[in-house]
Amino acid sequence: MTHVVTEACINCKYTDCVDVCPVDCFLEGPNFLTIDPDECIDCAVCIPECPVNAIFAEEDLPKDQLHMTEINAQLARSPNYKTLTKRKDPLPDHEAWANKTGKLSELKR
């Protein structure tokens, strides 16, 4: 079992979740955070920290976000995604993207 970052994170990239992660399982890409499924210990402390509710336990993923499990795993192996261990500012236009849905086409791999 793991936790999964959903499309809600795309173009926002809040990193409040990173500060509470005890195992540094978050990786950062250009406009998205992902969780490394091999590193996640399923502690769930990251879930309430996300201001856009982008993190779910795998078994609790909304049906329209099930595809994000595989995307998180793929991006965790990508050389373009690097481990992030400390909170950073969100993307400059995060407020404009925070409540938008259907952002998968915006994902930068």
Side-chain angles (χ1 to χ4, degrees):
M1 198 60 61
T2 189
H3 283 72
V4 178
V5 181
T6 63
E7 290 181 33
C9 182
I10 298 170
N11 285 335
C12 290
K13 205 166 75 168
Y14 292 97
T15 57
D16 306 57
C17 52
V18 173
D19 272 347
V20 299
C21 182
V23 294
D24 300 333
C25 68
F26 283 91
L27 294 102
E28 177 186 27
N31 69 340
F32 184 72
L33 295 179
T34 190
I35 293 175
D36 184 335
D38 296 330
E39 296 296 322
C40 180
I41 60 171
D42 210 23
C43 68
V45 296
C46 57
I47 293 173
E49 298 301 316
C50 181
V52 293
N53 299 314
I55 304 171
F56 290 85
E58 188 175 10
E59 69 269 14
D60 296 332
L61 270 172
K63 287 187 184 350
D64 68 337
Q65 295 296 303
L66 293 175
H67 59 283
M68 294 304 293
T69 300
E70 181 58 30
I71 290 172
N72 274 244
Q74 289 171 355
L75 295 177
R77 295 185 299 270
S78 169
N80 297 327
Y81 277 68
K82 306 293 182 198
T83 301
L84 185 64
T85 59
K86 293 186 180 182
R87 186 174 187 225
K88 299 169 63 168
D89 288 335
L91 293 175
D93 56 350
H94 64 96
E95 290 176 351
W97 287 95
N99 295 316
K100 292 191 179 186
T101 58
K103 300 190 282 185
L104 188 57
S105 64
E106 297 290 325
L107 178 63
K108 296 177 183 169
R109 296 175 182 257

